[in-house]
Amino acid sequence: MATVLQAATLLMGWQTDIKRFRLRSALRSAPVRHKGFFVVRTDGRLSATYVVMPRMSKLIPNAIAVKADSTGSSAGSKPGHELLLFEALREGLEEEMERDPRVCVMGEDVGHYGGSYKVTKGLASKFGDLRVVDTPIAENSFTGMGVGAAMAGLRPVIEGMNMGFLLLAFNQISNNCGMLHYTSGGQFTIPVVIRGPGGVGRQLGAEHSQRLESYFQSIPGLQMVACSTPYNAKGLMKGAIRSENPVVLFEHVLLYNLKERIPDEDYVLCLEEAEMVRPGEHVTILTYSRMRYHVMQAAKTLINKMGYDPEVIDIRSLKPFDLYTIGNSIKKTHRVLIVEECMRTGGIGASLRSAIIDNFWDYLDAPIMCLSSQDVPTPYAGTLEEWTVVQPAQIVAAVEQLCN
């Protein structure tokens, strides 16, 4: 522990030199820049690694991922690069670790094994064992260690091997992570990211198919986001790490192998903005995470076979809600359907429906409908598992009911 604290102190002490180095690099007119990051060894030694890289273009905060087209052009001629969702998370995390030596990772098997879903693969060998910390199977302990590290000036990224396991750390997340900034009178900030896979997988059983968004939503002081594409996974990861607030980043276990072309330019997404997936006129469909794809599958039927024009919004920010984007859509369509994988009782949809009623009641021409998972433990049997989760046919029927 003394070695860890010594290394942390050295990291904090070298921040001024890092800023001076970056300033000098930025002022040079040559078309290259020097980039450095720190490797922290288990014996407490720090080594700085510098590489010469081509100068990147201006930061694009609202960059748009380039969708694959059917023109037959070669992949090499398209801008950007293709990544799976878990690779996009890793790229965002790696870039932030290179940019800021205070960023560190801790969790079970995050080190040389690379994490259960390989989000941290290769980071331990690159950044050292004191910036990528393998922990015992003790969620409450290593989450508390992460909160303490954040209080001391570091920016930890805590990985829960499964979101269900983080119930064991609920005391640290609720009583410390979310409240210390307030209870200390602003003396401490807790810039910590808590991330990991959750949601209903494919026959993972009840304990590994938890949807815990609503559990964490009720904790004062926490911010919550849910990624759904490689593009927003990387952007939200970077935004969460740079935030001064404690952020819970939800990743869905079935979306890790989604592939998308994302920009080569550096970009960071706002943690409080929803994404307009598809503009429309007849009904607003609010969704997030895996259900985004069930909604888009239903939208094809609604558009091509039934003549409806749904507007689809991925809310992304689960706390706080982006009521600006949501409200503008409701003022246009006057009908709302919420589609979620969270449980119906006390879920995200219930909170979202309440917020819409409080703020946009006068714009509604029909009752708000909410499609949620069944209030039962997720069955192991595949056919029964499907029955507990909202399916595209249910979304089509709900839109038809709303619009008629």
Side-chain angles (χ1 to χ4, degrees), residues 48-59:
T49 302
Y50 299 100
V51 293
V52 179
M53 301 179 65
R55 184 178 297 278
M56 296 179 67
S57 58
K58 185 180 179 181
L59 177 71

Side-chain angles (χ1 to χ4, degrees), residues 14-286:
W14 284 20
Q15 287 176 36
T16 304
D17 294 335
I18 296 167
K19 291 178 181 177
R20 291 173 182 166
F21 171 78
R22 287 177 178 162
L23 180 60
R24 289 197 300 270
S25 297
L27 293 175
R28 290 175 183 150
S29 58
V32 297
R33 67 183 177 93
H34 293 76
K35 190 172 188 180
F37 56 87
F38 288 94
V39 178
V40 186
R41 308 298 179 187
T42 52
D43 59 1
R45 294 182 296 108
L46 282 83
S47 60
T49 302
Y50 299 100
V51 293
V52 179
M53 301 179 65
R55 184 178 297 278
M56 296 179 67
S57 58
K58 185 180 179 181
L59 177 71
I60 303 178
N62 295 314
I64 300 175
V66 179
K67 304 292 184 183
D69 58 37
S70 56
T71 58
S73 59
S74 63
S77 63
K78 299 176 183 177
H81 55 289
E82 281 193 344
L83 288 178
L84 300 174
L85 190 144
F86 77 90
E87 295 173 327
L89 288 167
R90 182 200 303 150
E91 184 172 272
L93 177 56
E94 184 175 1
E95 288 178 4
E96 290 304 300
M97 293 184 75
E98 291 176 348
R99 185 188 68 87
D100 188 343
R102 297 172 297 170
V103 179
C104 56
V105 181
M106 57 186 67
E108 298 157 1
D109 290 334
V110 299
H112 295 281
Y113 183 71
S116 297
Y117 294 91
K118 302 306 176 186
V119 173
T120 57
K121 183 179 180 181
L123 298 185
S125 58
K126 182 173 184 178
F127 295 104
D129 294 335
L130 290 182
R131 289 189 69 189
V132 184
V133 182
D134 268 324
T135 67
I137 304 175
E139 285 79 3
N140 194 55
S141 298
F142 69 71
T143 303
M145 182 173 69
V147 173
M151 293 172 67
L154 300 181
R155 307 185 81 87
V157 178
I158 302 170
E159 176 178 314
M161 187 180 290
N162 183 281
M163 277 295 177
F165 301 162
L166 288 178
L167 290 176
L168 298 168
F170 201 82
N171 172 59
Q172 290 289 350
I173 297 172
S174 176
N175 287 325
N176 292 328
C177 188
M179 296 185 183
L180 274 171
H181 180 66
Y182 175 80
T183 56
S184 69
Q187 295 180 72
F188 296 109
T189 55
I190 315 296
V192 62
V193 179
I194 300 171
R195 53 155 296 270
V200 178
R202 288 193 175 93
Q203 295 184 267
L204 297 179
E207 296 89 346
H208 290 70
S209 301
Q210 301 261 38
R211 292 136 291 172
L212 302 177
E213 300 95 306
S214 61
Y215 284 51
F216 296 106
Q217 187 190 43
S218 63
I219 300 174
L222 286 188
Q223 196 163 358
M224 299 199 313
V225 291
C227 60
S228 55
T229 68
Y231 171 74
N232 67 39
K234 178 181 177 180
L236 291 175
M237 171 70 87
K238 292 170 73 72
I241 292 173
R242 298 187 189 190
S243 174
E244 295 299 321
N245 299 316
V247 180
V248 179
L249 172 59
F250 285 96
E251 305 155 12
H252 199 287
V253 67
L254 291 184
L255 299 185
Y256 278 126
N257 288 323
L258 283 177
K259 181 179 285 189
E260 183 181 30
R261 186 171 294 275
I262 68 174
D264 292 326
E265 296 86 356
D266 189 15
Y267 67 94
V268 180
L269 293 182
C270 176
L271 300 181
E272 299 166 7
E273 287 184 0
E275 176 187 351
M276 178 66 68
V277 180
R278 182 192 185 277
E281 298 290 336
H282 294 155
V283 59
T284 297
I285 304 180
L286 305 174

